[in-house]
Every structure is written in structure tokens, then in C-alpha cells.
Amino acid sequence: MAPQFLNNQDDFGSGPSRDYVGYGEHPPEFSWPGGASVAMNIVVNYEEGSEYSLPMGDGRNDMLGEVNRPLDPSIRDLAMESMYEYGSRVGVWREMGIFAEAGINCTFFACAVAIERNPEVGRRLIEEGHEICSHGYRWVEHYAMTRDEERESIRLAVESFEKTCGERPVGWYCRYGPSVHTRELVVEEGGFLYDGDSYNDELPYYVDVGGTSHLVVPYALDLNDVRFVMPQGYSSGEDFFSDGKAAVDRLRHEAERSGVARMLSVGTHPRLIGRPARADALARLIDYAQGTGDVWFARRDEIARFWLSEFPSG
């Protein structure tokens, strides 16, 4: 039987189609502001207090902490709760201290309820020039919601951030991936410049959402401190630093060879990277990247605005 050749997209009739090609061999040639060849975006996933827990009425405990163990969902996991509390009590302040010392700004993938529980974090991140990107009203799976539930969750998140931080987010990023409705609802809401609900590229790109051109600033999970608590992950801060240094070196080399600037996402969580030895690795990675003289430390909204200006859709 002769092979069946398909085009580059699959259309499943519900939600976005798949694109296997993207920029391919010919991404646009450009440099970031200041002539930088790499835009490094450090993300702080600030979720503490919005995660699944019995006190929140969820009937389950979250498990992404230092020790992941299945506990009877009818029993409060006080150890896990305290691991999350470390992030808001200690870790986030250590991270912000590192950023202030380095003179850089980052993006906070923040859950609205987490900021409600510790509003000083919201005030300080805005005062210090960081970006607040909505990570949802709570740290929950949007793909498990109905369309109406998801619309309401997005509305609640925006409204909450406006109250706690004095400004609304212009970026959106779900926990563990979006639903088939998320991008449509983000565009429908009307105030978002971009979403980060994709892992398929290393440069921003546009998608058509119901006739509207919408910008995606993709994220990545490889250089992410969650690997400190995963079986296949980092055994020490040195692993995190080494991975980050190699990524910076490779992207700078590719940019020099091709004339195409690159983007690097670094994912952190205060309850994980906020521990002293790991935080030291983050500080050393920032110092190394700054020492190249070729890396632009950028918020995701800055990357989005640059792309919208330099490469307008249509």
C-alpha cells in the first residue's frame, strides 16, 4: 500500500491544530535589544498556598515537594504543606535578593490565590520591576474544567491580581498544559498580549485564534528546578549550573553562526531553588550569563512586546 502523505497539520475538529514545521530551517534573522544573541527569561513559579490541599477543600494533597509520597487523601499532609510554606516564607525572598543583586528582572508565573495569601510578595515584585504572568486563579488543571469554569477562573485571576498587585497580567500560563479552550478564552478575555502554553519552539510565533492573530511565547521544562525532586533529575546545584551554562554556550554559538538570536527559559520554584545550595547555583548561572556580555535578561512581556514591534503579524 502506498504511503499516505499528509500536510504539516492535523485538525482534530476541537481546539488548535498541530504544526510540525514552524520556522524550520529559516527562522528570522535578528538580534535582541542591545545586540544580544540570547534572551534569557527566568521564571519564578509562585504557587505556594494555591496548591491542592485538604484545608482548601480539595479532597487531595499536592505532591510536588522535596519528598513525594502518596498519602491517604483523607489525611492532611502537614509535611508537604510546610514545604510549600517554605517557598513563600523564605525561598521567594532569597530569589528576589539574587535578582536585585544582579540587577535583573524576571517573570513570575503567579497563582492569584498565592499572592492573596502573601500580598507583600505581589507588592514587592511589582516595585522591583518583575512581571506578573497569570498562572491561574489556583494551581489546578485547566484541562479538567468545563469551558465556563475555565472562563470564570481566568476572570477571577485577573480581578485578583488587579487588587493585590495594582495591575493586571498580560501573559497567561496554565498548570501542566492548557485545555482545548484555553487559548480561545485568553484571546476572548481581551487583555493578554501572549500565552506561554506551548513547548514546541524557542522563539515567539503567531497562531490564528478564531480570526485573531495571537502571540505565543513558548516555555521549556528542561532547565527547570523541578528536576531536583524528580528521579531523572539533578543531584546537586552543580548539575543545574552546568546545564544552564551549556545551554547559554550552545545558543550563543548557534546565534553567531546563523545570525538568528535565541531564547532560553529557566524555570524555578521558590520552595525548590530557594534552598541555599540550589540558590547559589542560580546566582552563579546568572553571573556567568552576564559575563558573556551577550545575554539580555528579559521579562516575557518584554520579549512579547519586542516581537510584536519587530515582527508584527500579517
Side-chain angles (χ1 to χ4, degrees), residues 8-20 183 207-208:
N8 70 312
Q9 294 189 340
D10 294 331
D11 190 348
F12 295 94
S14 177
S17 59
R18 300 184 66 185
D19 183 350
Y20 300 90
R183 190 160 284 155
V207 292
D208 179 82

Side-chain angles (χ1 to χ4, degrees), residues 18-314:
R18 300 184 66 185
D19 183 350
Y20 300 90
V21 176
Y23 292 114
E25 240 186 325
H26 305 289
E29 294 186 16
F30 73 101
S31 295
W32 298 110
S37 62
V38 177
M40 180 183 285
N41 171 241
I42 297 178
V43 168
V44 179
N45 291 272
Y46 189 71
E47 301 146 351
E48 286 75 4
S50 70
E51 77 279 3
Y52 289 110
S53 68
L54 292 191
M56 291 288 281
D58 297 315
R60 59 177 283 196
N61 302 295
D62 228 307
M63 290 183 58
L64 188 57
E66 290 294 324
V67 179
N68 300 318
R69 66 183 191 277
L71 195 66
D72 188 315
S74 67
I75 301 171
R76 277 186 71 181
D77 191 340
L78 297 180
M80 186 63 69
E81 289 176 25
S82 69
M83 293 174 200
Y84 277 82
E85 289 163 13
Y86 178 88
S88 61
R89 291 165 60 117
V90 180
V92 70
W93 302 114
R94 179 167 284 135
E95 280 202 83
M96 284 211 268
I98 289 171
F99 303 148
E101 186 175 347
I104 65 172
N105 294 124
C106 307
T107 295
F108 277 66
F109 283 177
C111 296
V113 168
I115 298 293
E116 288 178 4
R117 292 186 177 279
N118 194 348
E120 180 61 20
V121 171
R123 287 192 290 269
R124 284 288 297 281
L125 74 88
I126 296 299
E127 288 173 4
E128 296 186 12
H130 302 298
E131 174 198 4
I132 190 160
C133 171
S134 181
H135 200 15
Y137 184 63
R138 288 190 59 202
W139 196 44
V140 296
E141 292 94 345
H142 275 245
Y143 55 76
M145 297 179 181
T146 67
R147 185 185 183 96
D148 288 341
E149 288 171 342
E150 189 172 13
R151 180 187 292 108
E152 178 65 4
S153 180
I154 293 172
R155 185 193 68 78
L156 287 172
V158 171
E159 183 179 277
S160 177
F161 286 124
E162 288 175 332
K163 290 179 181 177
T164 56
C165 299
E167 61 181 59
R168 62 153 296 141
V170 297
W172 176 270
Y173 178 72
C174 285
R175 173 178 180 162
Y176 299 153
S179 77
V180 294
H181 306 299
T182 303
R183 190 160 284 155
E184 293 177 0
L185 293 172
V186 165
V187 171
E188 180 184 294
E189 194 277 336
F192 291 105
L193 286 181
Y194 73 92
D195 77 67
D197 281 328
S198 184
Y199 308 90
N200 60 5
D201 214 306
E202 293 178 350
L203 290 174
Y205 62 90
Y206 293 100
V207 292
D208 179 82
V209 182
T212 297
S213 183
H214 174 70
L215 184 67
V216 178
V217 181
Y219 189 44
L221 298 175
D222 55 317
L223 188 52
N224 191 299
D225 65 0
V226 73
R227 295 179 64 188
F228 284 117
V229 295
M230 300 290 281
Q232 71 273 29
Y234 299 133
S235 61
S236 71
E238 194 59 39
D239 292 337
F240 178 85
F241 171 77
S242 178
D243 242 15
K245 178 179 179 297
V248 170
D249 291 345
R250 168 49 50 180
L251 294 179
R252 291 182 64 237
H253 171 76
E254 290 180 1
E256 181 180 357
R257 184 193 64 199
S258 67
V260 178
R262 305 291 177 172
M263 186 179 78
L264 177 63
S265 295
V266 181
T268 72
H269 300 74
R271 62 187 179 277
L272 301 177
I273 203 75
R275 298 288 174 175
R278 298 168 184 166
D280 183 71
L282 175 62
R284 287 191 290 126
L285 177 59
I286 293 170
D287 184 64
Y288 175 78
Q290 287 183 318
T292 68
D294 199 23
V295 174
W296 176 43
F297 283 87
R299 303 164 16 150
R300 293 178 86 79
D301 63 335
E302 291 176 322
I303 292 171
R305 288 188 169 93
F306 172 88
W307 207 264
L308 289 163
S309 173
E310 296 297 313
F311 303 101
S313 64

